[in-house]
Amino acid sequence: MSHPDFASVEACVFDAYGTLFNVHSAVARGGEGLGDKADDVSNTWRQKQLEYTWLRSLMGAHADFWQVTSDGLDYALEAHGVADKELHAKLMELYLTLDAYGDVQLTLQKLRKAGYKTAILSNGTPEMLEAAVTSASLKDLFDGNLSIEDVGVYKPDNRVYQLAVDRLSVAPEKICFVSTNAWDASGAAHFGFNVAWLNRFNKIQEVLPGKPKVVINTLVDLMELMGVGL
């Protein structure tokens, strides 16, 4: 049986990076030359990537997520004393084919079989999202890959979340939004989505406007939440 707060949901919308796709898999697969710096480089890369989306939005100086990702990697490599243009190029290429988490494909298949609309709502460019879902064999499991490039500003701006409402023709209160990123979960909840915060990494909740309706630890929990059997 579905959770009462999600009983009227018609669509499940997912963040991509960190939620469906493991953002650290690029360094895991291609960062052997980094040695014991690999984890630190990957963590700094991710942090700067996110910070640059927020800062560029505030500055009114938009650049697409591919550029922001490259800039974040430049910072991370320099911060950890690595000067290697070939490694930069290799890691950027691997970012197009990030590993999907093991619970993603089954969950999407089950949700679609149960009649729910499904979509990605991401900071990623259309080209990045197309590459990621194709590489992970998820291409036929979404009704749309929605990119912030259509509004030219990054999450958690309300214009981004409105994209899902407009493109799926579903009211906010009938959308279940799923993100691993606590700040994204808060932003989506503040907008009006029914949010399931996918707390894969045992983080604490952000002290921000907008609180998730539920906290889940895996996408298997989401299936239970939506009343979808395994």
Side-chain angles (χ1 to χ4, degrees), residues 27 33-48 72-84 87:
V27 170
L34 293 169
D36 59 6
K37 297 180 179 180
D39 286 347
D40 288 340
V41 167
S42 193
N43 289 329
T44 301
W45 184 10
R46 175 58 170 170
Q47 185 60 35
K48 283 299 172 181
L73 180 55
D74 278 336
Y75 181 98
L77 292 173
E78 182 175 355
H80 296 287
V82 180
D84 189 334
L87 178 60

Side-chain angles (χ1 to χ4, degrees), residues 92-218:
M92 286 297 295
E93 190 66 23
L94 286 170
Y95 210 88
L96 294 172
T97 57
L98 295 172
D99 297 339
Y101 286 104
D103 53 5
V104 171
Q105 189 169 65
L106 176 63
T107 299
L108 291 170
Q109 290 171 341
K110 292 290 187 178
L111 289 172
R112 291 181 68 80
K113 186 175 181 181
Y116 292 104
K117 293 181 179 181
T118 56
I120 286 175
L121 180 62
S122 173
N123 282 337
T125 67
E127 295 80 11
M128 291 174 74
L129 296 175
E130 178 72 14
V133 299
T134 300
S135 173
S137 300
L138 302 176
K139 192 171 182 179
D140 297 328
L141 297 177
F142 294 107
D143 294 293
N145 298 325
L146 311 180
S147 167
I148 64 92
E149 285 304 306
D150 286 344
V151 290
V153 68
Y154 286 104
K155 295 178 182 178
D157 192 287
N158 281 344
R159 287 169 287 181
V160 176
Y161 302 117
Q162 185 65 40
L163 276 174
V165 175
D166 295 341
R167 297 295 176 80
L168 297 175
S169 298
V170 176
E173 64 271 16
K174 294 187 177 183
I175 290 177
C176 169
F177 182 79
V178 183
S179 180
T180 296
N181 302 296
W183 57 269
D184 189 19
S186 290
H190 185 249
F191 174 76
F193 289 154
N194 291 296
V195 175
W197 176 30
L198 178 56
N199 191 10
R200 289 191 185 277
F201 310 111
N202 297 315
K203 302 291 186 180
I204 63 171
Q205 192 165 296
E206 298 287 355
V207 185
L208 288 169
K211 302 300 179 187
K213 290 288 181 66
V214 296
V215 180
I216 58 177
N217 298 115
T218 71

Side-chain angles (χ1 to χ4, degrees), residues 52-64 68 71 152-154:
Y52 289 166
T53 64
W54 304 324
L55 292 169
R56 281 186 171 274
S57 292
L58 287 168
M59 294 166 71
H62 184 71
D64 70 26
V68 167
D71 293 345
V153 68
Y154 286 104

